[in-house]
Amino acid sequence: MIRSLLSSVALATVLATTPHIAPAQSVAGSYLAGRHAAITSDFEAAARYYQAALARDPGNVELMENAIVSQLALGRVDRALPIARLVEEQDVRSQAAHMVIIADMLAREDYAGYLERDVETQGIGPLVDGLLNAWALVGAEDIEGALAAFDAVSEQRGVRGFAMYHKAMALAGLGQFEAAGEIFEAEGSGPLQQTRRGAMARAEVLSQLGRNDEAIASLEVAFGTVSDPELDAMILALKAGETLAFTHITSARDGMAEVFYSLAGALRQDAGADYTLLYGRIARHLRPDHVDALLLNADLLETLEQFDLANAVYKQVPADHPAFHAAELGRAAALRESGKPDAAIEVLEQLAKRFGDLPLVHSTLGDVLRQQNRFEAAVAAYDRALDLTDPDDRRAWFLHYARAISHERLEEWPEAEADFRRALELNPGQPQVLNYLGYSLVEKQIKLDEALEMIEQAVEASPDSGYIVDSLGWVLYRLGRYEEAVGHMERAVELMPVDPVVNDHLGDVYWAVGREREARFQWMRALSFVDPADTDAEADPARMRRKLDVGLDAVLAEEGAEPLQVANGD
């Protein structure tokens, strides 16, 4: 339906019809550096290197297209525009160049110019071109032609939902709420109506029709018990009898921004994040206050591991916008992923002060604190999140699970066990909880039969989880059922071949069944996989070395532990 612009191999050639022009020897270094930067989604470096290469070889179309894509990925339509014009002047079909020139025309509201453009040779793709044409007719005040154009797009195979969604938005933007409502309520009218924006736009339409109760009901169906400040404010206004303004589309230019945004939302399921980002960037260029496009772009940049760029985008969401909390949560995640956990915690702590009644803020803070081994503070954050959560909400299982881990690390076992068991009450059979609780019981040498049953359930639910299979082998070892443990531990090592703990466990099991040479080999392997920088690792390299020196039996005796003993005295 829409041609792919980027590949996982290179960000270079935009269309198959683009002539390949090998870069001149004098620009080879910049070209290769730019290509490498593009492959790794380092758009800043790619733009810089391609610009340097173009300075030496200004007629190279391939370099031009690469430079256009890099600048567009950064949201710099103004910098990409002169290059895009040069490409079109050479009569080259380039989706990237056409996207930039069209984005500029639409931002200037040059609808007449766009309608005169030959999209057969200078378009983006059939669906995009068709929707933009319809919105351009709205901008040119040819409403009858615009509605007919939306209908024409709807006849394309597989895109009726897109066309009808945009037609409904156009009608609502024109104040024709009855007609818009009929489309929103039609059976099979399309999946976009079920998106967050679609559901909220429909509620605004219903409110304009004086049907606030139906608007509230539609939001409850769409979002269930999910809550956030933006949604809460809308429902509160509806319950107070206010008539909601239709804010999703206020002009033809807004509608065109919605085309790129809705296409980006669809593309992210199948296309690469780098390609999808181009649509999101144009949506924001056309409508600077499109906060949903901002959040989408930041999320795509996170997917591409461009965390600094994502952080910068999140920071563009105004502090007084209802989605500010979502942006700050995203920014905290980007900071954490970029190796700045203290900055992430600071963002979340400030957010918790401002949005103290949002469980998600406190639970996210708890997660980051737990990952930084600040378990006492994590427990406090989870306490607050659970205080704000319906105790019977099944989704609260993870809060209990995360708090249980924190209590367990603080050696507060009664509190930890209570939380683990509550998590299982809310989500019976959850393999992560079964595994963690079962493994903890094994390590504490208590309730071993129950622990075995739990871990067997976890393995049945997640047979390809190395950690869980390791737990099963380990509980059998703890129970003295060494021969039974061997197969499970070998399977765990197959699933996680370079994990030091799993390899160490296999070594102990081998030793227990008399395979001492193989045991020492596994301990050596385990020792080679230990990360010296990971001071919180469960693996104990000193103990591994001691086992290599004197064997497992001697180490157990030194530790005052019970000697190895086969179950049932065999």
Side-chain angles (χ1 to χ4, degrees), residues 84-310:
R85 285 174 174 157
L86 288 173
V87 171
E88 283 203 352
E89 286 173 6
Q90 296 191 39
D91 236 4
V92 173
R93 296 189 65 179
S94 163
Q95 190 184 35
H98 302 334
M99 289 175 80
V100 169
I101 289 174
I102 289 170
D104 174 67
M105 294 179 74
L106 302 182
R108 292 186 287 105
E109 301 184 10
D110 182 8
Y111 304 130
Y114 177 77
L115 290 168
E116 293 174 1
R117 188 177 176 86
D118 180 11
V119 294
E120 290 295 322
T121 59
Q122 295 181 320
I124 299 171
L127 176 58
V128 183
D129 297 336
L131 292 175
L132 292 180
N133 176 69
W135 278 109
L137 289 167
V138 172
E141 300 183 359
D142 181 359
I143 307 306
E144 184 177 346
L147 299 179
F150 283 122
D151 289 337
V153 175
S154 74
E155 294 174 4
Q156 295 180 30
R157 184 177 179 181
V159 300
R160 177 175 173 77
F162 276 95
M164 290 297 96
Y165 172 76
H166 282 276
K167 183 178 181 181
M169 298 291 260
L171 288 166
L174 294 166
Q176 299 182 32
F177 298 110
E178 286 282 359
E182 289 175 6
I183 293 175
F184 274 120
E185 293 171 26
E187 286 290 331
S189 55
L192 286 178
Q193 280 84 307
Q194 306 306 315
T195 64
R196 179 183 175 84
R197 285 183 67 79
M200 296 178 88
R202 181 187 180 190
E204 289 179 347
V205 168
L206 288 170
S207 182
Q208 283 288 324
L209 294 171
R211 295 156 61 184
N212 278 18
D213 289 344
E214 292 177 55
I216 294 169
S218 72
L219 292 174
E220 289 174 347
V221 169
F223 298 103
T225 59
V226 175
S227 177
D228 62 59
E230 187 173 19
L231 184 59
D232 289 345
M234 176 176 276
I235 292 175
L236 190 64
L238 288 167
K239 287 182 176 179
E242 298 178 22
T243 300
L244 300 181
F246 187 75
T247 60
H248 283 72
I249 298 294
T250 62
S251 66
R253 177 170 161 174
D254 287 355
M256 291 167 162
E258 196 71 16
V259 170
F260 286 97
Y261 174 77
S262 58
L263 262 293
L267 283 169
R268 70 184 308 182
Q269 304 301 319
D270 301 308
D274 43 6
Y275 178 56
T276 305
L277 180 62
L278 305 185
Y279 283 81
R281 290 293 201 182
I282 291 178
R284 173 77 200 305
H285 178 74
L286 294 176
R287 188 171 183 178
D289 66 347
H290 201 313
V291 170
D292 286 339
L294 271 178
L295 295 175
L296 171 65
N297 292 339
D299 183 63
L300 291 167
L301 288 165
E302 281 192 77
T303 300
L304 294 166
E305 299 185 358
Q306 296 301 306
F307 301 115
D308 289 340
L309 288 176

Side-chain angles (χ1 to χ4, degrees), residues 10 59 122 165 297 302 372 413 432 466 484 525 530 535 562:
Q122 295 181 320
Y165 172 76
N297 292 339
E302 281 192 77
Q372 294 305 114
W413 179 245
Q432 290 175 273
E484 290 180 66
R525 275 175 54 85
V530 173
T535 57
E562 291 290 328

Side-chain angles (χ1 to χ4, degrees), residues 430-451:
Q430 213 293 322
Q432 290 175 273
V433 183
L434 287 169
N435 179 61
Y436 205 116
L437 176 54
Y439 188 87
S440 298
L441 292 172
V442 171
E443 288 299 288
K444 293 182 179 301
Q445 292 286 284
I446 58 175
K447 305 175 185 176
L448 293 180
D449 290 336
E450 182 185 21

Side-chain angles (χ1 to χ4, degrees), residues 335-349:
L335 287 167
R336 186 178 70 248
E337 292 292 340
S338 63
K340 301 172 183 176
D342 291 339
I345 289 170
E346 183 178 352
V347 169
L348 291 169
E349 287 176 338

Side-chain angles (χ1 to χ4, degrees), residues 268-395:
R268 70 184 308 182
Q269 304 301 319
D270 301 308
D274 43 6
Y275 178 56
T276 305
L277 180 62
L278 305 185
Y279 283 81
R281 290 293 201 182
I282 291 178
R284 173 77 200 305
H285 178 74
L286 294 176
R287 188 171 183 178
D289 66 347
H290 201 313
V291 170
D292 286 339
L294 271 178
L295 295 175
L296 171 65
N297 292 339
D299 183 63
L300 291 167
L301 288 165
E302 281 192 77
T303 300
L304 294 166
E305 299 185 358
Q306 296 301 306
F307 301 115
D308 289 340
L309 288 176
N311 182 45
V313 173
Y314 280 126
K315 289 177 72 173
Q316 294 173 29
V317 176
D320 60 353
H321 193 278
F324 177 71
H325 76 289
E328 288 295 273
L329 287 170
R331 190 159 76 90
L335 287 167
R336 186 178 70 248
E337 292 292 340
S338 63
K340 301 172 183 176
D342 291 339
I345 289 170
E346 183 178 352
V347 169
L348 291 169
E349 287 176 338
Q350 292 300 314
L351 199 59
K353 293 177 182 177
R354 180 171 173 183
F355 296 93
D357 58 345
L358 288 181
L360 180 60
V361 173
H362 298 284
S363 64
T364 305
L365 175 59
D367 291 342
V368 180
L369 290 167
R370 175 168 52 86
Q371 290 160 7
Q372 294 305 114
N373 300 328
R374 293 173 57 180
F375 299 115
E376 287 187 15
V379 167
Y382 291 131
D383 286 345
R384 181 61 178 145
L386 283 164
D387 287 343
L388 295 165
T389 302
D390 181 348
D392 295 323
D393 188 338
R394 291 191 65 230
R395 292 170 300 177

